[in-house]
Amino acid sequence: MGDVASETEVLQAARAAVENAERVVIVTGAGVSAESGIPTFRDPEDGLWARFKPEELATPQAFSRDPCRVWEWYDLRRRAVLACQPNPGHLAIARFLLEKPSAILVTQNVDGLHDLAVEIQADAMGMRPDEAFDRVLALHGSLLHVRCSECTYDRPDRSPVDAGASETLPSCPDCGALLRPAVVWFGEMLDWETLERAFEAARASPVCVVAGTSALVHPAASLPAATLAAGGDLVEINPRNTPLSGRARWRLAGSAGQLLPKLLV
Ligand code: BV8
Ligand code: ZN
């Protein structure tokens, strides 16, 4: 009986802390999209990622060496994502953003499901989503955008890519160079302004909710530490332990789809 009570007590204490905090920052990773059917990066997976190694393919070197192979992986992921819907965890975060104008979401995910959840939730609440969109900081970019590998051209893009030959890969209408997924690869700098806003939110928020991330990729994984360094507390939602688990004041062991709706009420 003790465990169940402590789990409920932990959830109640975490919920009260979130409710009473004048600012909350939420940091999410691939685990938040797992229940939408999108494989995570590091969970033991069946086929989809087994043939591809993110650390090998999500790099500028891989793209210049074999753009077809990299586009094959991103096209597969884009098609998979476009067939998925936000899950209750995404929707709970979206509602929280819409209800709490000081809340900021920082996501490592590139699947666009947080934005889609804000759109759906705003519609359900009869609100405009634009202001909340501005508080969704996508640190690693988006699968649903492309940009030029040479110039500053970029555009939203959900279309399938024929990665069978380099001739059928998308090219820039302005300069003719190859277009690439508008995501941040390993070894690449993140958008400075977005990163600055993320760290400002982490430092200024008495509570950081970190959900669905193995906390291995930097600089995103340093955000919860910024909250702690400023005297704030962590709520971690993850079925597994991470390098942050020992530093979380409230650790909710379980799935984001089930726990976020209970935490962010
Ligand atoms: C940078 C976009 C500065 C692309 C991604 C050595 C060599 C080179 C670089 C480095 C190095 N050592 C450190 C670095 C820096 C490197 C880094 O951190 N590497 C790691 C691997 C050690 N970082 C960078 O390179 C960054 N840039 O540092 O620039 C610089 C620049 C130039 C020169 C010097 C310095 C750029 C990092 C961004 C990389 N791009 N994605 C794409 O997606 O294709 S990262 C990629 O990993 C995704 O964005 C993903 O989100 C992210 C992190 O993974 P997670 O989201 O945490 O997902 P993961 O699968 O790991 O974990 C899922 C978790 O969910 C698990 O804990 C699981 O238990 C949990 N879970 C599962 N189911 C559920 C659940 N939780 C809740 N509910 C569930 N149902
Ligand atoms: Zn160009």
Side-chain angles (χ1 to χ4, degrees), residues 30 35 41-42 74 77 108 140 184 187-188 213-214 218 238 256:
E35 287 151 281
F41 286 78
R42 294 169 186 86
Y74 280 91
R77 290 173 64 194
Q108 300 170 85
H140 297 160
V184 179
E188 291 190 319
T213 182
S214 59
H218 290 274
N238 197 315

Side-chain angles (χ1 to χ4, degrees), residues 30 32-33 38 81-82 90 107 109-114 141-144:
V32 163
S33 294
I38 299 176
V81 157
L82 287 173
H90 292 112
T107 187
N109 300 344
V110 295
D111 57 31
L113 287 183
H114 281 303
S142 168
L143 278 176
L144 308 179

Side-chain angles (χ1 to χ4, degrees), residues 12-13 41-42 44 61 96 116 160 261:
Q12 279 167 351
F41 286 78
R42 294 169 186 86
Q61 292 77 8
F96 187 77
L116 183 52

Side-chain angles (χ1 to χ4, degrees), residues 62-75:
F63 187 70
S64 49
R65 190 172 55 242
D66 187 351
C68 287
R69 178 113 169 89
V70 173
W71 259 119
E72 183 194 5
W73 185 45
Y74 280 91
D75 180 56

Side-chain angles (χ1 to χ4, degrees), residues 15-32:
R15 184 166 49 220
V18 165
E19 204 160 340
N20 299 329
E22 68 274 11
R23 283 191 68 171
V24 173
V25 64
I26 301 173
V27 178
T28 62
V32 163

Side-chain angles (χ1 to χ4, degrees), residues 199-207 222-233 247:
F199 273 101
E200 185 280 327
R203 285 190 292 266
S205 301
V207 175
S222 312
L223 287 164
T227 298
L228 291 171
D233 287 311
R247 307 176 68 189

Side-chain angles (χ1 to χ4, degrees), residues 118-165:
V118 165
E119 208 175 299
I120 292 167
Q121 198 60 49
D123 189 43
M125 295 162 71
M127 294 174 73
R128 293 189 50 73
D130 312 83
E131 191 277 326
F133 280 145
D134 184 51
R135 287 181 285 117
V136 176
L137 308 184
L139 286 187
H140 297 160
S142 168
L143 278 176
L144 308 179
H145 275 74
V146 291
R147 67 179 173 86
C148 181
S149 52
E150 298 295 335
C151 75
T152 56
Y153 177 84
D154 86 337
R155 66 165 187 250
D157 191 312
R158 301 162 168 252
S159 49
V161 170
D162 174 0

